[in-house]
């Protein structure tokens, strides 16, 4: 079975994240869908923004801040 995110061939038996090879790849795919939805222009804001932040980075940042939030409250 081939992971649609990283295109890596992996063994699907015993995997809980089919069709992805890992939880990480599944999250990456989910984030990609979410960011694509958000990217749809809601009005006339179709400015040319050359900055393309990689989904991977955004995901890591989100997770990190989330963890900090959880563990820093005590
Ligand atoms: Zn993968």
């Amino acid at each position: 079975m081939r992971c649609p995110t990283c295109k890596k061939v992996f063994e699907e038996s015993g995997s809980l994240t089919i069709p992805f090879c890992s939880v990480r790849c599944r999250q990456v795919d989910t984030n990609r869908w979410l960011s694509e939805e958000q990217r749809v222009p809601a009005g006339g804001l179709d400015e040319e923004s050359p900055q393309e932040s990689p989904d991977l980075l955004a995901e890591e940042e989100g997770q990190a801040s989330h963890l900090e939030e959880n563990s820093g409250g005590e």
Side-chain angles (χ1 to χ4, degrees):
M1 175 160 242
R2 191 183 291 266
C3 173
T5 297
C6 67
K7 314 296 187 206
K8 192 174 69 178
V9 178
F10 68 103
E11 190 60 51
E12 72 260 38
S13 64
S15 174
L16 300 174
T17 53
I18 289 173
F20 305 102
C21 73
S22 65
V23 175
R24 180 159 194 84
C25 282
R26 188 176 59 183
Q27 285 179 338
V28 167
D29 187 75
T30 302
N31 283 353
R32 187 177 298 153
W33 277 104
L34 288 179
S35 61
E36 272 182 15
E37 278 184 30
Q38 288 170 358
R39 202 175 298 163
V40 174
L45 289 175
D46 201 10
E47 270 186 281
E48 268 196 325
S49 44
Q51 58 164 12
E52 267 198 16
S53 48
D55 290 343
L56 276 174
L57 264 180
E59 186 213 1
E60 273 183 10
E61 269 183 56
Q63 275 190 349
S65 60
H66 190 65
L67 281 176
E68 273 177 31
E69 251 185 331
N70 276 347
S71 61
E74 297 186 48

